[in-house]
Amino acid sequence: MKIIFMGTPDYAKAILQKIINTKDMQVVAVYTQPDKPVGRKKVMTPPEVKTLALENDIDVFQPNRLRDESVVKELLKIECDYIVVAAYGQILPLEILQHAPCINLHASILPQYRGASPIQQTLLNGDIKTGVTAMLMDVGLDTGDIIKIKEIDVNNTEMVESLFDRLTDVACALTIDVLQNFSLYPHVKQDDSLSSHCSKITKEDGEVEFKDATTLYNKYRAFTPWPGVYLSSRLKLKNIEFIEAQSENEAGKILHVDKNSIVVGCENGTLRILRVQPQSKNEMDILSYINGKRLTVADTLS
């Protein structure tokens, strides 16, 4: 079985590794995003998918635009049975979709959370269930026929990195299952009336207010470590815990101070804060912060 693989981040790298390790599967080409400058020194850094491919002597292609005519012609010369796509970051043109069945591994239960940030959106909405959808791609954004869905439970304290790792494991197993049994699974059209969309996360999405404890805590789960959650003062909330959602309080009021944390009121609910990071300073425990600011019970954290 010959496969063209398209993907860029860690999620894609794990799936590519699973395919490489599977008997009777040959990755004949890898398409990934161009190298990008990383860090303060802007060192040009390849995607991890590229590094893995080169380590396994697989041809790598990094077009700026997959839709360019020359790029499409080059790809169509590569014989393959399937094209597997996982968080590639570019839309596939019709000519490529017609070259071979294109299977996308999307980290949500489609048609829910089409788009760029399904794992974060699961946590933002406080969902108790999510999964990975193997989908036969079409010209739309995550709109193709569903081949198979594998669901998992989500607990109410799970963080994005943990959920990412678990969904990656699911996607790896599902990829091999679908490739080996492609003709056995019926392809089911998505119900567009049930669809929802999630956009790419930006740094600005991390700003929070002490309005609703559940909403703030879910943002903390979804946006830690990046972009993090922070107040309008740019004080980052590095370690927080959810307490309850029923009480009514003055937003940001310190309700209690104990030996290693404080309890802060939201307009609805309360949160425990253990560690923070002021702008342009190192992370610190919350007691060091409030002592430095001379804050105590009944003062407002801002």
Side-chain angles (χ1 to χ4, degrees):
M1 183 186 300
K2 294 182 178 181
I3 297 164
I4 293 175
F5 184 85
M6 297 182 173
T8 301
D10 288 349
Y11 175 74
K13 177 187 175 184
I15 296 172
L16 175 60
Q17 183 70 72
K18 186 71 172 181
I19 296 173
I20 291 170
N21 293 344
T22 302
K23 185 180 179 180
D24 298 329
M25 292 188 183
Q26 178 189 4
V27 180
V28 293
V30 163
Y31 281 74
T32 189
Q33 295 282 53
D35 297 1
K36 292 184 177 181
V38 174
R40 292 182 179 179
K41 295 185 178 180
K42 302 298 182 182
V43 177
M44 291 300 293
T45 304
E48 293 197 22
V49 162
K50 175 183 178 180
T51 302
L52 176 61
L54 294 177
E55 288 173 352
N56 288 273
D57 298 319
I58 301 170
D59 290 337
V60 175
F61 301 86
Q62 296 177 275
N64 288 313
R65 279 176 44 87
L66 191 64
R67 292 176 174 272
D68 286 351
E69 183 178 352
S70 61
V71 175
V72 172
K73 286 183 177 180
E74 184 178 46
L75 186 147
L76 295 182
K77 294 177 182 177
I78 305 172
E79 294 184 6
C80 68
D81 299 295
Y82 297 99
I83 299 173
V84 175
V85 183
Y88 174 44
Q90 296 198 44
I91 300 296
L92 275 61
L94 181 60
E95 296 95 325
I96 293 176
L97 293 172
Q98 294 174 336
H99 182 53
C102 296
I103 301 169
N104 177 248
L105 284 303
H106 186 74
S108 79
I109 301 172
L110 289 172
Q112 190 178 47
Y113 309 150
R114 296 171 176 170
S117 56
I119 301 176
Q120 291 92 336
Q121 198 65 49
T122 293
L123 297 177
L124 290 172
N125 286 355
D127 294 345
I128 61 173
K129 192 177 292 293
T130 187
V132 177
T133 301
M135 172 193 66
L136 188 63
M137 297 179 70
D138 61 13
V139 293
L141 178 63
D142 301 326
T143 57
D145 291 355
I146 293 170
I147 305 170
K148 188 176 181 179
I149 296 174
K150 177 64 176 178
E151 297 184 358
I152 61 172
D153 295 329
V154 183
N155 69 57
N156 59 11
T157 61
E158 184 155 26
M159 302 294 287
V160 69
E161 289 185 315
S162 167
L163 186 55
F164 176 92
D165 289 344
R166 292 205 294 135
L167 288 171
T168 298
D169 290 342
V170 170
C172 289
L174 185 59
T175 300
I176 304 306
D177 179 8
V178 167
L179 287 170
Q180 292 176 334
N181 300 288
F182 183 80
S183 62
L184 301 180
Y185 292 129
H187 301 167
V188 180
K189 289 191 177 297
Q190 295 188 42
D191 184 347
D192 291 339
S193 68
L194 301 177
S195 69
S196 57
H197 182 269
C198 51
S199 301
K200 185 177 180 180
I201 303 299
T202 68
K203 187 175 182 180
E204 289 70 27
D205 289 324
E207 185 169 343
V208 296
E209 299 177 287
F210 290 112
K211 288 187 175 181
D212 182 79
T214 301
T215 299
L216 194 158
Y217 183 65
N218 285 343
K219 284 189 175 184
Y220 165 73
R221 295 166 63 207
F223 295 153
T224 300
W226 193 89
V229 291
Y230 55 89
L231 305 178
S232 58
S233 65
R234 291 303 189 259
L235 177 68
K236 293 183 178 179
L237 308 179
K238 300 295 289 187
N239 188 350
I240 68 176
E241 297 173 356
F242 176 81
I243 299 177
E244 53 81 33
Q246 285 72 43
S247 65
E248 296 182 0
N249 309 282
E250 181 181 333
K253 184 176 181 180
I254 300 173
L255 304 177
H256 180 73
V257 177
D258 62 25
K259 62 180 181 180
N260 63 356
S261 66
I262 65 173
V263 175
V264 175
C266 299
E267 292 179 9
N268 294 293
T270 53
L271 297 165
R272 185 180 306 279
I273 301 178
L274 294 94
R275 297 187 66 81
V276 295
Q277 183 178 5
Q279 188 175 23
S280 302
K281 294 185 178 181
N282 294 329
E283 181 180 329
M284 64 180 67
D285 66 86
I286 186 63
L287 296 190
S288 296
Y289 178 77
I290 65 170
N291 288 338
K293 292 288 187 179
R294 298 185 178 181
L295 302 174
T296 187
V297 173
D299 289 329
T300 299
L301 185 69
S302 60

